[in-house]
Amino acid sequence: MNRFVKCGLFACALAAFAVQPALAQDEEKEYKGAPDAKSYGYTALAVGLATPATLPWGFDWDVFGLDVNLLYSDCNKMYGIEVGGLANTARLNMYGIQAAAGFNLANRNAVGIMASCFNMCNRTAYGISADVLGMNREFLGLSVDALASMTDESFYGLDVAGLASAVREDMWGWQIAVGATFARRVHGLQTSVILNMTDELRGAQVGIVNYAATCSAGFQVGVVNLIMDNEVPFIPIFNCYF
């Protein structure tokens, strides 16, 4: 092995050693609050009354197929269909369908369909969520909520809520609610019967009362329209940035 190859290998080893702490820190940050659970193994079918009273017995199985329990279904990874009479839990990722009368929980990412009275994803949900109340860290897709929807970070897609829809950071798409919509930054459309509110509007608001602290590009249609950084903040019927 010549000297050039040896130097190259030594440089690669130093680079790997240098970035290892940063990668470990990023991984710890990514999965903070959702620790790994040790799996018993994999099963294609889990059936029973309520986890752990199932076949196969116990918690901490990775299910690649069907998990059905009369009361409560609980597994590590869910790749397939999880049905519980009252509730479902996927301690890690859920890829597929969760359906229950009470609640569904995906402790990490959820990809697919979640249907229950209360749906919750602690990381990013991709797909369709149908519920009375929905809570997600981040959502991409279609969310239909009879009462309310709350997104801790950003929302991408269509959110239809009965009482209210709230997005803590960016809303990309369309928020619809009978009562009110809230988002820190709107990139799209907010529509409600009563109130639409955002810190920054880049799109449109349609409702009785529309409020935007700033508006770099967009307009409002309603009875009370407020763009606070505009030369004329309040204009009824139609307001836009100028």
Side-chain angles (χ1 to χ4, degrees):
M1 185 181 294
N2 59 42
R3 182 177 298 177
F4 179 77
V5 174
K6 290 181 179 179
C7 291
L9 292 175
F10 180 70
C12 291
L14 285 178
F17 180 79
V19 302
Q20 185 177 3
L23 292 175
Q25 184 177 4
D26 289 343
E27 184 176 358
E28 181 180 356
K29 180 180 179 181
E30 174 67 20
Y31 295 111
K32 184 178 180 181
D36 284 328
K38 294 183 179 179
S39 172
Y40 290 150
Y42 301 92
T43 180
L45 180 65
V47 180
L49 175 63
T51 308
T54 62
L55 292 175
W57 180 268
F59 295 98
D60 301 332
W61 287 93
D62 294 331
V63 178
F64 286 70
L66 180 63
D67 186 2
V68 179
N69 283 274
L70 185 63
L71 298 177
Y72 173 60
S73 296
D74 186 318
C75 62
N76 271 354
K77 298 176 183 178
M78 180 67 237
Y79 292 77
I81 300 175
E82 187 175 29
V83 179
L86 296 179
N88 295 311
T89 296
R91 300 188 184 192
L92 301 180
N93 295 322
M94 192 286 293
Y95 291 81
I97 299 174
Q98 278 186 328
F103 76 87
N104 293 317
L105 170 64
N107 207 27
R108 290 194 181 168
N109 296 324
V111 180
I113 300 173
M114 301 176 74
S116 71
C117 286
F118 175 53
N119 290 330
M120 182 174 182
C121 178
N122 284 332
R123 301 203 176 276
T124 304
Y126 305 83
I128 299 173
S129 178
D131 52 55
V132 176
L133 176 64
M135 295 182 65
N136 301 281
R137 192 188 76 171
E138 187 175 51
F139 191 93
L140 294 87
L142 170 62
S143 179
V144 180
D145 315 277
L147 183 61
S149 169
M150 291 173 283
T151 306
D152 192 51
E153 293 185 2
S154 296
F155 185 97
Y156 303 82
L158 174 61
D159 188 5
V160 182
L163 181 62
S165 170
V167 178
R168 180 170 291 183
E169 298 298 335
D170 292 83
M171 193 287 294
W172 297 82
W174 190 2
Q175 271 183 302
I176 304 173
V178 176
T181 65
F182 305 91
R184 178 165 295 178
R185 289 172 292 270
V186 172
H187 310 264
L189 178 61
Q190 282 184 320
T191 59
S192 72
V193 175
I194 300 174
L195 172 66
N196 298 303
M197 180 176 288
T198 183
D199 287 343
E200 183 177 351
L201 177 62
R202 297 180 181 179
Q205 294 176 317
V206 179
I208 294 175
V209 179
N210 300 303
Y211 174 90
T214 64
C215 177
S216 56
F219 63 90
Q220 300 170 324
V221 177
V223 178
V224 177
N225 299 312
L226 293 166
I227 299 176
M228 301 310 295
D229 69 337
N230 214 345
E231 292 183 10
V232 181
F234 169 64
I235 300 178
I237 311 303
F238 182 84
N239 194 8
C240 62
Y241 180 79
F242 60 88

